[in-house]
Coordinates of all heavy atoms in Angstrom, one line a residue:
R1 N -9.7 4.1 -16.6 CA -8.8 3.2 -16.0 C -7.4 3.8 -15.9 O -6.8 3.8 -14.8 CB -8.6 1.9 -16.9 CG -9.8 1.0 -16.8 CD -9.5 -0.1 -17.7 NE -10.8 -1.0 -17.7 CZ -10.9 -1.9 -18.6 NH1 -9.9 -2.3 -19.4 NH2 -12.0 -2.7 -18.7
E2 N -7.0 4.5 -17.0 CA -5.7 5.0 -16.9 C -5.5 6.2 -15.8 O -4.5 6.5 -15.2 CB -5.4 5.6 -18.3 CG -3.8 6.2 -18.4 CD -3.4 6.6 -19.8 OE1 -3.9 6.0 -20.7 OE2 -2.7 7.6 -20.0
G3 N -6.6 7.0 -15.9 CA -6.8 8.1 -14.7 C -6.7 7.7 -13.3 O -6.0 8.1 -12.5
R4 N -7.4 6.5 -13.1 CA -7.3 6.0 -11.7 C -6.0 5.4 -11.4 O -5.4 5.5 -10.3 CB -8.5 4.9 -11.7 CG -9.7 5.4 -11.6 CD -10.8 4.3 -11.5 NE -12.2 4.9 -11.4 CZ -13.2 4.2 -11.4 NH1 -13.1 2.9 -11.0 NH2 -14.3 4.7 -11.2
S5 N -5.4 4.8 -12.4 CA -4.0 4.2 -12.2 C -3.0 5.4 -12.0 O -2.2 5.3 -11.0 CB -3.5 3.3 -13.4 OG -4.4 2.3 -13.5
R6 N -3.1 6.4 -12.8 CA -2.3 7.6 -12.6 C -2.5 8.2 -11.1 O -1.5 8.6 -10.4 CB -2.7 8.6 -13.7 CG -1.5 9.3 -14.3 CD -1.8 10.1 -15.4 NE -1.9 9.3 -16.5 CZ -1.2 9.7 -17.7 NH1 -0.5 10.9 -17.7 NH2 -1.2 9.0 -18.8
N7 N -3.9 8.4 -10.7 CA -4.0 8.8 -9.5 C -3.6 7.9 -8.4 O -3.0 8.5 -7.3 CB -5.7 9.0 -9.2 CG -6.1 9.7 -8.1 OD1 -5.4 10.6 -7.6 ND2 -7.1 9.3 -7.5
A8 N -3.7 6.7 -8.4 CA -3.2 5.8 -7.4 C -1.7 5.8 -7.3 O -1.1 6.0 -6.1 CB -3.6 4.4 -7.8
L9 N -0.9 6.0 -8.4 CA 0.5 6.3 -8.4 C 0.9 7.5 -7.7 O 1.9 7.6 -7.0 CB 1.2 6.1 -9.8 CG 1.3 4.6 -10.2 CD1 1.9 4.7 -11.7 CD2 2.3 3.8 -9.4
S10 N 0.2 8.7 -8.1 CA 0.4 9.9 -7.6 C 0.1 10.1 -6.2 O 0.8 10.8 -5.4 CB -0.2 11.0 -8.4 OG -1.5 11.0 -8.3
E11 N -0.9 9.5 -5.7 CA -1.5 9.7 -4.3 C -0.7 8.8 -3.5 O -0.3 9.2 -2.4 CB -3.0 9.4 -4.3 CG -3.9 10.3 -5.0 CD -4.1 11.8 -4.2 OE1 -4.2 11.6 -2.9 OE2 -4.3 12.7 -4.9
M12 N -0.7 7.6 -3.8 CA -0.2 6.4 -2.8 C 1.3 6.1 -3.2 O 2.0 5.6 -2.4 CB -1.1 5.2 -2.8 CG -2.4 5.6 -2.1 SD -3.5 4.1 -2.1 CE -3.7 3.8 -3.9
G13 N 1.6 6.3 -4.5 CA 2.9 5.7 -5.0 C 4.2 6.3 -4.2 O 5.0 5.6 -4.0
I14 N 3.9 7.6 -3.9 CA 5.1 8.2 -3.2 C 5.4 7.7 -1.9 O 6.4 7.3 -1.5 CB 4.8 9.8 -3.1 CG1 4.9 10.3 -4.7 CG2 5.8 10.4 -2.4 CD1 4.3 11.7 -4.7
S15 N 4.2 7.5 -1.1 CA 4.4 7.0 0.2 C 4.7 5.5 0.3 O 5.7 5.1 1.0 CB 3.0 7.1 1.0 OG 2.5 8.4 1.1
V16 N 4.3 4.8 -0.6 CA 4.6 3.3 -0.8 C 6.1 3.2 -1.1 O 6.9 2.4 -0.5 CB 3.8 2.6 -1.8 CG1 4.3 1.2 -2.0 CG2 2.3 2.4 -1.3
T17 N 6.6 4.0 -2.2 CA 8.0 3.9 -2.6 C 9.0 4.4 -1.5 O 9.9 3.7 -1.1 CB 8.2 4.8 -3.8 OG1 7.3 4.3 -4.7 CG2 9.6 4.7 -4.3
N18 N 8.5 5.4 -0.8 CA 9.4 5.9 0.4 C 9.5 4.9 1.5 O 10.5 4.7 2.1 CB 8.9 7.2 0.8 CG 9.3 8.5 -0.1 OD1 10.2 8.2 -1.0 ND2 8.5 9.4 -0.1
S19 N 8.3 4.3 1.9 CA 8.5 3.3 2.8 C 9.3 2.0 2.5 O 9.9 1.5 3.2 CB 7.0 2.8 3.3 OG 6.3 2.4 2.3
A20 N 9.1 1.7 1.2 CA 10.0 0.6 0.6 C 11.5 1.0 0.8 O 12.3 0.1 1.1 CB 9.5 0.2 -0.7
I21 N 11.8 2.2 0.4 CA 13.3 2.5 0.4 C 13.8 2.6 1.8 O 14.8 2.1 2.0 CB 13.3 4.0 -0.3 CG1 13.1 3.8 -1.8 CG2 14.7 4.5 0.1 CD1 13.0 5.2 -2.5
T22 N 12.9 3.1 2.8 CA 13.5 3.1 4.1 C 13.6 1.7 4.7 O 14.5 1.5 5.5 CB 12.6 3.9 5.0 OG1 11.3 3.4 5.0 CG2 12.6 5.4 4.8
T23 N 12.6 0.8 4.3 CA 12.8 -0.6 4.8 C 14.0 -1.3 4.3 O 14.7 -2.1 4.8 CB 11.5 -1.4 4.5 OG1 10.4 -0.6 5.1 CG2 11.5 -2.8 4.9
L24 N 14.1 -1.0 2.9 CA 15.4 -1.5 2.3 C 16.6 -1.1 2.8 O 17.6 -1.9 3.0 CB 15.4 -1.3 0.8 CG 14.2 -1.9 -0.2 CD1 14.3 -1.3 -1.6 CD2 14.5 -3.4 -0.2
L25 N 16.8 0.2 3.1 CA 18.0 0.7 3.9 C 18.1 0.1 5.2 O 19.2 -0.2 5.6 CB 17.8 2.2 3.9 CG 17.9 2.8 2.5 CD1 17.8 4.4 2.8 CD2 19.4 2.7 2.0
A26 N 16.9 0.0 5.9 CA 17.1 -0.5 7.3 C 17.5 -2.1 7.3 O 18.4 -2.6 8.1 CB 15.7 -0.5 8.0
S27 N 17.1 -2.8 6.2 CA 17.4 -4.2 6.2 C 18.7 -4.4 5.6 O 19.3 -5.4 6.0 CB 16.4 -5.1 5.3 OG 16.5 -4.6 4.1
S28 N 19.2 -3.4 4.9 CA 20.5 -3.6 4.3 C 21.7 -3.4 5.4 O 22.8 -3.9 5.3 CB 20.8 -2.6 3.1 OG 20.7 -1.2 3.7
I29 N 21.3 -2.7 6.4 CA 22.3 -2.6 7.6 C 22.5 -3.9 8.2 O 23.6 -4.3 8.7 CB 21.7 -1.7 8.7 CG1 21.5 -0.1 8.1 CG2 22.3 -1.7 9.8 CD1 20.9 0.8 9.1
L30 N 21.6 -4.9 8.1 CA 21.8 -6.2 8.7 C 22.7 -7.1 7.9 O 23.2 -8.0 8.4 CB 20.4 -6.9 8.8 CG 19.4 -6.4 9.9 CD1 18.1 -7.1 9.7 CD2 19.9 -6.4 11.2
F31 N 23.0 -6.7 6.8 CA 24.0 -7.4 5.9 C 25.3 -7.3 6.5 O 26.2 -8.1 6.3 CB 24.0 -6.8 4.5 CG 22.9 -7.2 3.6 CD1 22.4 -6.3 2.6 CD2 22.2 -8.4 3.9 CE1 21.3 -6.5 1.9 CE2 21.0 -8.7 3.1 CZ 20.6 -7.7 2.2
G32 N 25.8 -6.2 7.2 CA 27.0 -6.1 7.9 C 27.1 -6.8 9.3 O 28.2 -6.7 9.9
C33 N 26.0 -7.4 9.7 CA 26.0 -8.0 11.0 C 26.9 -9.5 10.9 O 26.8 -10.2 9.9 CB 24.6 -8.4 11.3 SG 24.5 -8.9 13.2
G34 N 27.6 -9.7 12.1 CA 28.3 -11.0 12.1 C 27.5 -12.2 12.4 O 27.9 -13.3 12.0
F35 N 26.3 -12.0 12.9 CA 25.5 -13.2 13.3 C 24.8 -13.6 11.9 O 24.1 -12.9 11.2 CB 24.4 -12.9 14.3 CG 25.1 -12.8 15.6 CD1 24.9 -11.5 16.2 CD2 25.7 -13.6 16.2 CE1 25.4 -11.2 17.5 CE2 26.3 -13.5 17.5 CZ 26.1 -12.2 18.2
Y36 N 24.7 -15.0 11.7 CA 24.1 -15.5 10.4 C 22.7 -15.4 10.4 O 22.1 -15.0 9.3 CB 24.5 -17.0 10.4 CG 24.1 -17.6 9.1 CD1 24.6 -17.2 7.8 CD2 23.1 -18.6 8.9 CE1 24.1 -17.8 6.6 CE2 22.6 -19.1 7.8 CZ 23.1 -18.9 6.6 OH 22.7 -19.4 5.5
F37 N 22.0 -15.5 11.5 CA 20.6 -15.3 11.7 C 20.0 -13.9 11.2 O 19.2 -13.7 10.4 CB 20.0 -15.5 13.0 CG 18.6 -15.1 13.2 CD1 17.6 -15.9 12.7 CD2 18.3 -13.9 13.9 CE1 16.3 -15.6 12.8 CE2 16.9 -13.6 13.9 CZ 15.8 -14.5 13.5
F38 N 20.8 -12.9 11.7 CA 20.5 -11.6 11.3 C 20.8 -11.1 9.9 O 20.1 -10.4 9.1 CB 21.2 -10.3 12.1 CG 20.6 -10.5 13.6 CD1 21.7 -10.6 14.6 CD2 19.4 -10.4 13.8 CE1 21.1 -10.6 15.9 CE2 18.9 -10.3 15.1 CZ 19.8 -10.5 16.2
L39 N 21.8 -11.8 9.3 CA 22.3 -11.7 7.8 C 21.1 -12.3 7.0 O 20.7 -11.6 6.1 CB 23.5 -12.4 7.6 CG 24.0 -12.4 6.3 CD1 24.4 -11.0 5.7 CD2 25.1 -13.4 6.0
Q40 N 20.7 -13.4 7.4 CA 19.4 -14.2 6.7 C 18.2 -13.4 6.8 O 17.5 -13.2 5.9 CB 19.2 -15.4 7.2 CG 20.0 -16.5 6.5 CD 19.6 -17.9 7.1 OE1 19.3 -18.2 8.2 NE2 19.5 -19.0 6.1
F41 N 17.9 -12.8 7.9 CA 16.8 -12.1 8.3 C 16.7 -10.7 7.4 O 15.8 -10.4 6.8 CB 16.6 -11.8 9.7 CG 15.4 -11.1 10.1 CD1 14.1 -11.6 10.1 CD2 15.4 -9.7 10.6 CE1 12.9 -11.1 10.3 CE2 14.1 -9.2 10.9 CZ 12.9 -9.9 10.8
G42 N 17.9 -10.1 7.3 CA 17.9 -8.9 6.5 C 17.9 -9.2 5.1 O 17.3 -8.4 4.3
A43 N 18.4 -10.3 4.7 CA 18.4 -10.7 3.2 C 16.8 -11.1 2.9 O 16.4 -10.7 1.8 CB 19.2 -11.8 2.9
F44 N 16.3 -11.8 3.8 CA 14.8 -12.0 3.5 C 13.9 -10.8 3.4 O 13.1 -10.8 2.5 CB 14.3 -12.9 4.7 CG 12.9 -13.2 4.6 CD1 12.4 -14.2 3.6 CD2 11.9 -12.7 5.4 CE1 11.0 -14.5 3.5 CE2 10.6 -13.0 5.3 CZ 10.2 -13.9 4.4
I45 N 14.0 -9.9 4.4 CA 13.2 -8.7 4.4 C 13.6 -7.9 3.1 O 12.6 -7.4 2.4 CB 13.5 -7.8 5.6 CG1 12.9 -8.6 6.9 CG2 12.9 -6.5 5.6 CD1 13.2 -7.8 8.2
F46 N 14.8 -7.8 2.8 CA 15.3 -7.2 1.5 C 14.7 -7.5 0.3 O 14.1 -6.9 -0.5 CB 16.8 -7.0 1.4 CG 17.4 -6.1 0.5 CD1 17.6 -4.8 0.8 CD2 17.6 -6.5 -0.9 CE1 18.1 -3.9 -0.2 CE2 18.2 -5.7 -1.8 CZ 18.4 -4.4 -1.5
L47 N 14.7 -8.9 0.2 CA 14.2 -9.5 -1.1 C 12.6 -9.5 -1.0 O 12.0 -9.3 -2.2 CB 14.7 -11.0 -1.2 CG 16.0 -11.3 -1.5 CD1 16.4 -12.6 -1.5 CD2 16.4 -10.6 -2.8
V48 N 12.0 -9.6 0.1 CA 10.4 -9.4 0.1 C 10.0 -8.0 -0.2 O 9.1 -7.9 -1.2 CB 9.9 -9.9 1.4 CG1 8.4 -9.5 1.7 CG2 10.2 -11.4 1.7
I49 N 10.7 -7.1 0.3 CA 10.3 -5.7 0.1 C 10.5 -5.2 -1.4 O 9.8 -4.7 -2.1 CB 10.9 -4.7 1.0 CG1 10.4 -5.1 2.6 CG2 10.6 -3.4 0.7 CD1 8.9 -4.8 2.6
L50 N 11.7 -5.6 -1.9 CA 12.2 -5.4 -3.2 C 11.3 -5.9 -4.3 O 10.8 -5.4 -5.2 CB 13.7 -5.9 -3.4 CG 14.3 -5.5 -4.8 CD1 14.3 -3.9 -4.9 CD2 15.5 -6.1 -5.1
S51 N 11.0 -7.2 -4.1 CA 10.1 -7.9 -5.0 C 8.7 -7.3 -4.9 O 7.9 -7.2 -6.0 CB 10.0 -9.5 -4.8 OG 9.6 -9.7 -3.5
S52 N 8.1 -7.0 -3.7 CA 6.8 -6.5 -3.6 C 6.8 -5.1 -4.2 O 5.7 -4.8 -4.9 CB 6.4 -6.4 -2.1 OG 7.2 -5.5 -1.5
I53 N 7.7 -4.2 -4.1 CA 7.6 -2.9 -4.7 C 7.7 -2.9 -6.2 O 7.1 -2.4 -7.0 CB 8.6 -1.9 -4.1 CG1 8.3 -0.5 -4.5 CG2 10.0 -2.2 -4.5 CD1 7.1 0.1 -4.0
L54 N 8.6 -3.8 -6.7 CA 8.7 -4.0 -8.1 C 7.5 -4.6 -8.8 O 7.0 -4.1 -9.8 CB 10.1 -4.9 -8.5 CG 11.4 -4.3 -8.3 CD1 12.4 -5.3 -8.5 CD2 11.4 -3.0 -9.0
M55 N 6.9 -5.6 -8.1 CA 5.7 -6.3 -8.7 C 4.5 -5.2 -8.7 O 3.6 -5.2 -9.4 CB 5.3 -7.4 -7.9 CG 6.2 -8.7 -8.3 SD 6.1 -9.1 -9.9 CE 4.6 -10.0 -10.0
S56 N 4.4 -4.4 -7.5 CA 3.3 -3.5 -7.5 C 3.4 -2.5 -8.5 O 2.3 -1.9 -9.1 CB 3.2 -2.9 -6.1 OG 4.3 -2.1 -5.8
I57 N 4.5 -1.9 -8.8 CA 4.7 -0.8 -9.8 C 4.8 -1.4 -11.2 O 4.1 -0.8 -12.1 CB 6.1 -0.1 -9.5 CG1 5.7 0.7 -8.2 CG2 6.3 1.0 -10.6 CD1 6.9 1.5 -7.7
S58 N 5.5 -2.4 -11.5 CA 5.6 -3.0 -13.0 C 4.5 -4.1 -13.2 O 4.4 -4.3 -14.5 CB 6.9 -3.6 -13.0 OG 7.2 -4.7 -12.3
F59 N 3.8 -4.6 -12.4 CA 2.8 -5.5 -12.7 C 1.4 -5.1 -12.4 O 0.4 -5.2 -13.1 CB 3.1 -6.9 -12.1 CG 2.1 -8.0 -12.4 CD1 2.1 -8.6 -13.6 CD2 1.3 -8.6 -11.4 CE1 1.2 -9.6 -14.0 CE2 0.4 -9.5 -11.7 CZ 0.3 -10.0 -13.0
L60 N 1.1 -4.7 -11.1 CA -0.2 -4.6 -10.6 C -0.9 -3.3 -11.2 O -2.0 -3.3 -11.5 CB -0.1 -4.5 -8.9 CG -1.5 -4.5 -8.3 CD1 -2.1 -5.9 -8.5 CD2 -1.3 -4.3 -6.8
I61 N 0.0 -2.3 -11.2 CA -0.6 -1.0 -11.9 C -0.9 -1.2 -13.3 O -2.1 -0.8 -13.8 CB 0.2 0.3 -11.7 CG1 0.3 0.5 -10.1 CG2 -0.2 1.4 -12.3 CD1 -0.9 1.0 -9.5
P62 N 0.0 -1.8 -14.1 CA -0.4 -2.0 -15.6 C -1.6 -3.0 -15.7 O -2.6 -2.8 -16.5 CB 0.8 -2.7 -16.2 CG 1.9 -2.1 -15.3 CD 1.3 -2.0 -14.0
L63 N -1.7 -4.0 -14.8 CA -2.8 -5.0 -14.8 C -4.1 -4.2 -14.4 O -5.2 -4.4 -15.1 CB -2.6 -6.1 -13.8 CG -3.6 -7.2 -13.8 CD1 -3.5 -8.1 -15.0 CD2 -3.3 -8.0 -12.6
A64 N -4.1 -3.3 -13.4 CA -5.3 -2.5 -13.2 C -5.7 -1.6 -14.2 O -6.9 -1.3 -14.4 CB -5.0 -1.7 -11.9
T65 N -4.7 -1.2 -15.0 CA -5.0 -0.3 -16.2 C -5.7 -1.2 -17.3 O -6.6 -0.6 -17.9 CB -3.6 0.4 -16.7 OG1 -3.1 1.1 -15.6 CG2 -3.9 1.3 -17.9
M66 N -5.2 -2.3 -17.5 CA -5.8 -3.0 -18.5 C -7.2 -3.7 -18.1 O -8.1 -3.8 -19.0 CB -5.0 -4.3 -19.0 CG -3.6 -3.7 -19.7 SD -2.5 -5.0 -20.2 CE -2.9 -6.4 -19.4
L67 N -7.3 -4.2 -17.0 CA -8.5 -5.0 -16.4 C -9.3 -4.3 -15.4 O -10.3 -4.9 -14.9 CB -8.1 -6.3 -16.0 CG -7.2 -7.1 -16.9 CD1 -6.8 -8.4 -16.2 CD2 -8.0 -7.4 -18.1
G68 N -9.0 -3.0 -15.0 CA -9.6 -2.3 -13.9 C -11.0 -2.0 -14.2 O -11.5 -2.0 -15.4
P69 N -11.9 -1.4 -13.2 CA -13.1 -1.0 -13.5 C -13.3 0.3 -14.4 O -12.2 1.1 -14.5 CB -13.7 -0.6 -12.2 CG -12.5 -0.3 -11.3 CD -11.4 -1.2 -11.9
E70 N -14.3 0.5 -15.2 CA -14.5 1.5 -16.1 C -15.7 2.5 -15.6 O -16.6 1.9 -15.0 CB -14.9 1.0 -17.6 CG -13.6 0.4 -18.1 CD -14.0 -0.1 -19.5 OE1 -15.1 -0.4 -19.8 OE2 -13.0 -0.2 -20.3
G71 N -15.7 3.6 -15.8 CA -16.7 4.6 -15.5 C -17.1 4.7 -14.0 O -16.2 4.8 -13.2
Q72 N -18.3 4.4 -13.8 CA -18.8 4.4 -12.3 C -18.7 3.0 -11.6 O -19.0 2.9 -10.5 CB -20.2 5.0 -12.2 CG -20.3 6.3 -12.7 CD -19.6 7.4 -11.8 OE1 -19.6 7.2 -10.5 NE2 -18.9 8.3 -12.3
Q73 N -18.3 2.2 -12.4 CA -18.0 0.7 -11.8 C -17.0 0.8 -10.6 O -16.0 1.4 -10.7 CB -17.7 -0.3 -12.8 CG -17.6 -1.6 -12.3 CD -17.1 -2.6 -13.5 OE1 -16.5 -2.2 -14.5 NE2 -17.3 -3.8 -13.3
G74 N -17.5 0.1 -9.5 CA -16.5 0.1 -8.4 C -16.8 1.3 -7.4 O -16.2 1.4 -6.3
M75 N -17.6 2.3 -7.7 CA -18.0 3.3 -6.8 C -19.0 2.7 -5.9 O -19.8 1.9 -6.1 CB -18.6 4.5 -7.6 CG -17.6 5.0 -8.7 SD -16.1 5.6 -8.0 CE -16.3 7.3 -8.0
L76 N -18.9 3.3 -4.7 CA -19.8 2.8 -3.5 C -20.6 3.9 -3.1 O -20.3 4.4 -2.1 CB -19.0 2.1 -2.5 CG -18.0 0.8 -2.9 CD1 -17.1 0.5 -1.8 CD2 -18.8 -0.2 -3.5
P77 N -21.7 4.2 -3.7 CA -22.5 5.4 -3.3 C -23.2 5.3 -1.9 O -23.5 6.2 -1.4 CB -23.6 5.6 -4.5 CG -23.6 4.2 -5.0 CD -22.3 3.5 -4.8
F78 N -23.5 4.1 -1.6 CA -24.1 3.9 -0.3 C -23.1 4.3 0.9 O -23.6 4.6 2.0 CB -24.7 2.5 0.0 CG -23.5 1.5 0.1 CD1 -23.0 1.2 1.4 CD2 -22.8 0.9 -1.0 CE1 -21.9 0.3 1.6 CE2 -21.9 -0.2 -0.7 CZ -21.4 -0.3 0.6
L79 N -21.9 4.4 0.7 CA -21.0 4.7 1.7 C -21.1 6.3 2.0 O -20.9 6.7 3.1 CB -19.6 4.6 1.2 CG -19.0 3.1 1.4 CD1 -17.7 2.9 1.0 CD2 -19.2 2.6 2.9
Q80 N -21.6 7.1 1.0 CA -21.8 8.5 1.4 C -23.0 8.7 2.3 O -23.0 9.6 3.1 CB -22.2 9.1 0.1 CG -20.9 9.3 -0.8 CD -21.2 10.0 -2.1 OE1 -22.3 10.3 -2.4 NE2 -20.1 10.3 -2.9
S81 N -24.0 7.8 2.2 CA -25.1 7.9 3.2 C -24.7 7.4 4.6 O -25.4 8.0 5.6 CB -26.3 7.2 2.6 OG -26.1 5.8 2.5
V82 N -23.9 6.5 4.6 CA -23.5 5.9 6.0 C -22.1 6.5 6.5 O -21.8 6.2 7.6 CB -23.4 4.4 6.1 CG1 -24.8 3.8 5.7 CG2 -22.3 4.0 5.0
A83 N -21.5 7.4 5.8 CA -20.2 8.0 6.2 C -20.4 8.7 7.5 O -19.5 8.6 8.4 CB -19.7 9.0 5.1
P84 N -21.4 9.7 7.6 CA -21.4 10.3 9.0 C -21.5 9.4 10.2 O -20.9 9.6 11.3 CB -22.6 11.2 9.0 CG -22.9 11.4 7.6 CD -22.4 10.1 7.0
F85 N -22.2 8.3 10.1 CA -22.4 7.3 11.1 C -21.1 6.6 11.3 O -20.7 6.5 12.5 CB -23.5 6.2 10.7 CG -23.5 5.1 11.8 CD1 -24.0 5.2 13.1 CD2 -23.1 3.9 11.3 CE1 -24.1 4.2 13.8 CE2 -23.0 2.8 12.2 CZ -23.6 3.0 13.5
L86 N -20.5 6.2 10.3 CA -19.1 5.5 10.4 C -18.1 6.5 11.0 O -17.3 6.0 11.9 CB -18.7 5.0 9.1 CG -19.5 3.9 8.4 CD1 -19.0 3.6 7.0 CD2 -19.5 2.7 9.3
Q87 N -18.1 7.6 10.7 CA -17.2 8.5 11.2 C -17.4 8.8 12.8 O -16.5 8.8 13.6 CB -17.2 10.0 10.6 CG -16.6 10.0 9.2 CD -16.7 11.3 8.6 OE1 -17.4 12.2 9.0 NE2 -16.0 11.5 7.5
S88 N -18.6 8.9 13.1 CA -19.0 8.9 14.6 C -18.6 7.6 15.4 O -18.2 7.8 16.5 CB -20.4 9.3 14.8 OG -21.3 8.2 14.4
V89 N -18.8 6.5 14.8 CA -18.5 5.3 15.5 C -16.9 5.2 15.5 O -16.4 4.8 16.6 CB -19.0 4.0 14.7 CG1 -18.3 2.8 15.2 CG2 -20.5 4.1 14.9
V90 N -16.2 5.5 14.5 CA -14.7 5.3 14.5 C -14.0 6.3 15.4 O -13.2 6.0 16.1 CB -14.2 5.6 13.1 CG1 -12.6 5.6 13.0 CG2 -14.6 4.3 12.2
L91 N -14.6 7.6 15.4 CA -14.0 8.6 16.2 C -14.7 8.6 17.6 O -14.2 9.4 18.5 CB -14.2 10.0 15.5 CG -13.6 10.1 14.2 CD1 -13.9 11.5 13.7 CD2 -12.1 9.9 14.2
C92 N -15.7 7.8 17.9 CA -16.2 7.7 19.2 C -16.9 9.0 19.6 O -16.8 9.3 20.8 CB -15.3 7.1 20.3 SG -14.8 5.3 20.0
R93 N -17.4 9.7 18.8 CA -18.1 10.9 19.0 C -19.5 10.6 19.2 O -20.1 9.9 18.6 CB -17.9 12.0 17.9 CG -16.5 12.4 17.7 CD -16.5 13.4 16.7 NE -17.2 13.1 15.4 CZ -17.3 13.7 14.3 NH1 -16.7 14.7 14.2 NH2 -17.8 13.2 13.2
V94 N -20.0 11.3 20.3 CA -21.4 11.2 20.6 C -22.1 12.6 20.2 O -21.6 13.6 20.7 CB -21.6 10.9 22.0 CG1 -23.3 11.0 22.4 CG2 -21.0 9.7 22.4
E95 N -23.0 12.6 19.3 CA -23.7 13.8 18.9 C -24.6 14.2 20.0 O -25.3 13.5 20.6 CB -24.5 13.5 17.6 CG -23.5 13.2 16.4 CD -22.6 14.3 16.0 OE1 -23.0 15.4 16.1 OE2 -21.5 13.9 15.7
P96 N -24.6 15.6 20.3 CA -25.5 16.2 21.1 C -26.9 16.1 20.7 O -27.1 16.3 19.5 CB -25.1 17.6 21.4 CG -24.3 17.8 20.1 CD -23.7 16.7 19.7
K97 N -27.9 15.8 21.6 CA -29.3 15.6 21.1 C -30.0 17.0 21.3 O -29.7 17.8 22.0 CB -30.0 14.7 22.1 CG -29.5 13.2 21.9 CD -30.2 12.3 22.7 CE -29.7 10.9 22.5 NZ -30.4 9.9 23.2

């Protein structure tokens, strides 16, 4: 569990944190706006993004560490057998006969 949580933070945590920072900065620009609607909209976005990044890092990852799957639980081996088909469907490739 701990390894998976560490992997999730190292693989996706950087991207999620950077996108949260850029969204927070973009919404903070709306705080300087004179229109009340844009001020409220910026505050709403700022609070939603701030609370979501704090909850995901300080609550969701520790919860997954304590209660997440162990060992091979949660692995989907059947996806390996259908992966070539899914890739061809998603990429719209037609294999030559």
Side-chain angles (χ1 to χ4, degrees):
R1 291 179 187 170
E2 187 175 327
R4 288 183 180 182
S5 297
R6 225 176 266 233
N7 187 29
L9 281 176
S10 64
E11 294 278 329
M12 295 179 294
I14 296 169
S15 301
V16 171
T17 304
N18 284 338
S19 62
I21 289 170
T22 57
T23 306
L24 289 173
L25 290 174
S27 65
S28 65
I29 292 173
L30 293 174
F31 290 146
C33 189
F35 293 118
Y36 186 67
F37 171 77
F38 291 126
L39 178 70
Q40 270 189 323
F41 186 64
F44 175 73
I45 291 176
F46 190 88
L47 290 175
V48 166
I49 298 299
L50 183 66
S51 63
S52 65
I53 192 70
L54 290 177
M55 287 299 286
S56 66
I57 292 175
S58 64
F59 179 71
L60 193 61
I61 294 294
L63 185 68
T65 303
M66 291 182 348
L67 303 174
E70 292 180 332
Q72 295 297 317
Q73 185 182 15
M75 300 301 256
L76 304 172
F78 72 90
L79 283 181
Q80 291 178 353
S81 63
V82 296
F85 172 73
L86 292 176
Q87 286 177 348
S88 66
V89 169
V90 170
L91 299 176
C92 297
R93 292 186 304 191
V94 178
E95 298 293 327
K97 293 183 180 182

